[in-house]
Amino acid sequence: DFLFFWGAVFLVTTTLVAFLKKENQELIPAKEETKGITDTYKLLFSIIKMPAVLTFCLLILTSKVGFSAADAVTGLKLVEEGVPKEHLALLAVPMVPLQIILPLVISKYTAGPQPLNTFYKAMPYRLLLGLEFAFLVWWAPKVKHEGGFPVYYYAVVVLSYALHQITLYSMYVAIMAFNAKVSDPLIGGTYMTLLNTVSNLGGNWPSTVALWLVDPLTVKECAGAQGHTCATAEAVEV
């Protein structure tokens, strides 16, 4: 029902835009720098070969390695420790207004000549929150009781996630502002798309690697089976 409703909303709104929105014919269209897909990719390669862009791409591809595990694995580990999935889903509800307000507040600090300053300042706090998340996972079995988890545990989890959202959006908005600032207006769409794609990749590949490494780096103990290490999936099955 949820998907059907929003699918209908998208169909109606986009149809209304198609029929009701008129282009301003009086404006002289700007000369396009690219003629097609081939020219666009040639332009992308010429942009990425620029020393400053190449250095920035390398930095942004590796800048999120430090908190990839905390971002990708914390929720899964909390569920593994017994926190109900539906409770974690409910905890995301208070984050929605925060996620709406944060970009508006942070944009005031990223609108100046050096938007990446906000990125640098938020990074150490986000790294420290990785330790906080590790503490939450370690703490979960300590406070768990027959009825589930106490209210104060959920309060700490919500507060931790709220602080995490502040650091996350500070870095995200700062990168978007920087990309918009340095993109050449003549080829702004192509330029910004390239930088934003690299930025997204910089967040996705470390999370994927972190998820792959969870099993090899997890210490397991075999109860009642001496001589077995449970280090592999086969050993766990045995």
Side-chain angles (χ1 to χ4, degrees):
D1 289 343
F2 177 84
L3 293 174
F4 180 80
F5 172 78
W6 286 110
V9 169
F10 271 99
L11 284 172
V12 171
T13 51
T14 50
T15 303
L16 287 173
V17 169
F19 284 107
L20 301 179
K21 177 65 178 173
K22 302 298 181 185
E23 297 293 339
N24 191 343
Q25 301 295 338
E26 295 177 3
L27 291 175
I28 301 171
K31 182 185 176 182
E32 291 187 4
E33 292 291 318
T34 54
K35 303 293 183 183
I37 294 175
T38 306
D39 288 340
T40 303
Y41 276 100
K42 286 180 180 177
L43 183 60
L44 282 173
F45 281 119
S46 65
I47 292 170
I48 207 166
K49 284 192 294 185
M50 295 164 62
V53 174
L54 192 59
T55 303
F56 176 70
C57 288
L58 289 172
L59 289 172
I60 211 65
L61 280 171
T62 55
S63 63
K64 297 178 182 178
V65 171
F67 29 77
S68 57
D71 290 0
V73 185
T74 300
L76 300 174
K77 284 296 178 182
L78 287 175
V79 171
E80 191 178 286
E81 294 295 345
V83 180
K85 293 178 184 177
E86 57 271 22
H87 289 183
L88 280 179
L90 280 174
L91 295 181
V93 175
M95 297 299 112
V96 174
L98 186 66
Q99 290 168 350
I100 295 171
I101 295 168
L102 278 174
L104 297 173
V105 176
I106 296 165
S107 61
K108 295 178 182 178
Y109 301 96
T110 58
Q114 296 178 317
L116 281 184
N117 281 353
T118 307
F119 183 93
Y120 300 144
K121 290 174 182 176
M123 182 174 281
Y125 295 104
R126 193 170 172 186
L127 287 168
L128 287 173
L129 281 168
L131 297 176
E132 163 73 4
F133 283 173
F135 169 75
L136 287 177
V137 174
W138 172 84
W139 193 29
K142 311 288 183 186
V143 296
K144 186 179 180 182
H145 51 75
E146 289 184 4
F149 290 85
V151 175
Y152 64 83
Y153 180 77
Y154 287 116
V156 174
V157 171
V158 169
L159 179 61
S160 300
Y161 271 97
L163 292 173
H164 177 259
Q165 289 294 312
I166 293 172
T167 58
L168 186 151
Y169 272 83
S170 295
M171 296 178 72
Y172 175 77
V173 174
I175 283 291
M176 293 298 111
F178 178 79
N179 291 348
K181 196 172 190 65
V182 300
S183 298
D184 188 339
L186 287 175
I187 48 172
T190 307
Y191 211 128
M192 269 200 75
T193 301
L194 171 66
L195 296 180
N196 290 344
T197 301
V198 172
S199 180
N200 290 333
L201 282 172
N204 289 333
W205 81 261
S207 297
T208 305
V209 173
L211 288 169
W212 275 340
L213 291 174
V214 169
D215 268 350
L217 295 177
T218 299
V219 178
K220 305 181 184 73
E221 293 179 1
C222 293
Q226 294 181 353
H228 288 280
T229 61
C230 293
T232 63
E234 293 79 11
V236 171
E237 288 295 323
V238 171

